[in-house]
Amino acid sequence: MLVSGAMFAPAQAQTVDVRMAYIQWVPDPGPILSNVIPEPEDAGLRGAELALADNQTTGKFLGQNYQLATALADSAESATQRFAEMQSQGVRLFVTNLPAATLLALTRLAEPDTLIFNAGAKDDSLRTEHCSANLLHTIPSYAMLTDALGQWLKQRQWEEVFLITGPTDADKHWASAFRRASKRFGLEIVQDRLWTFDADLRRTASKELPLFTQGADYDAVVVADVRGDFGEYVPFNTWLPRPVVGTQGMSPVAWHRVVESWGAAQLQNRFRELASREMNSEDYAAWAATRSIGTAVTALGKVDPKAIRDFLFSDGFQLAAFKGRKLTYRDWNGQLRQPIPLVHPRGLVARAPFESFLHPDTTLDTLGFDRPESACRING
């Protein structure tokens, strides 16, 4: 289904019209074998809408009029087509929640002055090799998430882990990032097993999982099950009485309803009022992207995508984003630096990065691919 927002209003005298677009396509994950609550269909969109209202609150005093067109696509082709149509209408600022391959297709179609914010694709390849000067990332990468988890495990001295990887590409990307984090922070994966079962664990978890998790002693079980096929049943069903972390149990995320410090409770309440649900990571990433645009336009007093991009990489930009630190963009790959909350479903456990992990510039760059680790140089 393709849904378009209202037509753009005509420009008014002495008014700066900020024309933006939000494009989303999330492939159907297919049948899921557990009772996981599915992600809301408007994940991401509601975050962009909340940020648009925040931008408008400031903008109305400065003669700025924010307008948002939306496209909720049902395929990669329709998402790409809608992007091309919006560009032809003069739109140059885009926030997206799209798979990596579709996002790369958009960057190839982008005009030189088009700016695209990635609020959905966590793939590390977008930050290390398949980079585009037109593309910035507000969703944390798999490497950022798993580095946060690796730091936590290391500082707790839970250094021997049992890794279970699901069958999907996303599971394999997550697990690959965790293996990298393990080497980086001195963890040992004592068992590295692929989940190949298709049984309904609602009936067999207490029999299947203890046998599956037998092996050498370990300090924690790390699960890579992005869509939730089996991971929800791993806690309390392991052979050894060990904590479960990863995509289930205690998880590294961009955002969660239990994040409430540094004014976040106020953001959470406003989001609930808008969307009648909790804010998730994709909502937060879309909010951060839209607020980045608003922050730049307020500082510059004009809508010029090239000037906005230059400002976002300048020393003058800092995003106030309810995470206890001012956030900035990495100038080599366009990734938004940010702390990573580590949460379980009902509480916040910790926030990475941790003080014991040092960096010559900022400890936030201990999460994800640092400049020497990435081939990207989007600013020369």
Side-chain angles (χ1 to χ4, degrees):
M1 181 179 67
L2 204 61
V3 182
S4 297
M7 295 296 291
F8 291 117
Q12 301 176 5
Q14 297 181 340
T15 297
V16 177
D17 282 321
V18 187
R19 304 172 67 195
M20 303 169 51
Y22 176 85
I23 302 178
Q24 175 175 308
W25 173 55
V26 180
D28 184 352
I32 297 175
L33 302 178
S34 68
N35 289 319
V36 175
I37 299 173
E39 291 293 327
E41 293 184 359
D42 58 357
L45 173 60
R46 294 301 187 185
E49 291 176 341
L50 180 63
L52 193 77
D54 294 344
N55 289 351
Q56 195 69 51
T57 298
T58 302
K60 68 181 179 181
F61 298 107
L62 302 173
Q64 298 165 3
N65 179 36
Y66 287 84
Q67 305 167 43
L68 181 70
T70 64
L72 305 182
D74 59 3
S75 66
E77 292 75 16
S78 59
T80 304
Q81 178 184 1
R82 198 70 181 102
F83 174 78
E85 291 172 354
M86 290 175 172
Q87 271 204 135
S88 70
Q89 297 168 5
V91 183
R92 292 294 183 268
L93 299 170
F94 291 86
V95 178
T96 67
N97 181 4
L98 298 166
T102 308
L103 192 58
L104 286 173
L106 264 60
T107 63
R108 290 190 285 268
L109 291 174
E111 298 291 340
D113 61 341
T114 290
L115 190 58
I116 305 170
F117 290 83
N118 167 30
K122 303 180 181 71
D123 303 58
D124 289 315
S125 61
L126 295 173
R127 285 85 166 171
T128 59
E129 50 183 320
H130 301 306
C131 304
S132 169
N134 303 71
L135 182 62
L136 279 66
H137 311 275
T138 53
I139 194 77
S141 65
Y142 287 126
M144 291 174 68
L145 298 173
T146 55
D147 280 353
L149 179 59
Q151 286 188 11
W152 185 82
L153 288 167
K154 182 66 175 180
Q155 60 100 26
R156 292 299 302 269
Q157 298 183 18
W158 294 353
E159 299 176 357
E160 297 182 340
V161 300
F162 189 124
L163 175 62
I164 308 174
T165 305
T168 71
D169 287 343
D171 299 338
K172 293 171 184 177
H173 290 322
W174 198 101
S176 177
F178 180 78
R179 294 185 189 102
R180 169 188 169 274
S182 297
K183 293 178 181 178
R184 195 178 196 191
F185 300 115
L187 308 178
E188 181 183 359
I189 300 175
V190 296
Q191 295 287 337
D192 191 342
R193 295 188 181 176
L194 182 65
W195 182 263
T196 58
F197 304 94
D198 59 1
D200 187 345
L201 289 181
R202 289 172 290 188
R203 298 178 178 85
T204 63
S206 62
K207 295 181 180 179
E208 300 282 359
L209 281 163
L211 294 175
F212 185 81
T213 54
Q214 277 185 292
D217 193 12
Y218 45 87
D219 298 315
V221 176
V222 180
V223 177
D225 177 24
V226 173
R227 71 176 187 172
D229 260 334
F230 63 90
E232 302 296 333
Y233 297 103
V234 178
F236 308 106
N237 278 314
T238 56
W239 180 257
L240 298 176
R242 299 293 186 265
V244 174
V245 299
T247 54
Q248 281 77 28
M250 188 202 71
S251 303
V253 294
W255 195 255
H256 193 274
R257 66 181 179 85
V258 299
V259 177
E260 296 183 329
S261 301
W262 296 297
Q266 185 257 358
L267 178 68
Q268 303 275 27
N269 290 336
R270 290 192 294 113
F271 185 85
R272 291 187 196 101
E273 184 178 352
L274 171 73
S276 299
R277 61 173 178 81
E278 303 293 347
M279 192 178 205
N280 68 12
S281 292
E282 286 74 22
D283 293 312
Y284 180 81
W287 177 89
T290 308
R291 284 296 291 144
S292 293
I293 294 171
T295 301
V297 171
T298 297
L300 298 170
K302 61 180 179 181
V303 184
D304 176 351
K306 184 180 184 304
I308 290 172
R309 184 188 183 280
D310 290 344
F311 178 76
L312 294 179
F313 286 111
S314 74
D315 293 338
F317 173 76
Q318 291 184 330
L319 181 65
F322 304 99
K323 284 195 169 184
R325 299 175 70 166
K326 301 292 185 180
L327 310 188
T328 59
Y329 287 92
R330 291 172 179 157
D331 62 6
W332 61 92
N333 64 3
Q335 175 66 58
L336 184 68
R337 299 177 174 97
Q338 55 191 287
I340 301 297
L342 293 143
V343 305
H344 64 76
R346 294 185 179 272
L348 175 68
V349 178
R351 286 183 181 84
F354 299 95
E355 293 181 358
S356 57
F357 298 91
L358 305 179
H359 191 276
D361 299 318
T362 171
T363 55
L364 290 175
D365 282 345
T366 64
L367 303 177
F369 286 88
D370 202 359
R371 185 190 301 270
E373 301 171 297
S374 172
C376 295
R377 295 295 183 269
I378 64 173
N379 286 298

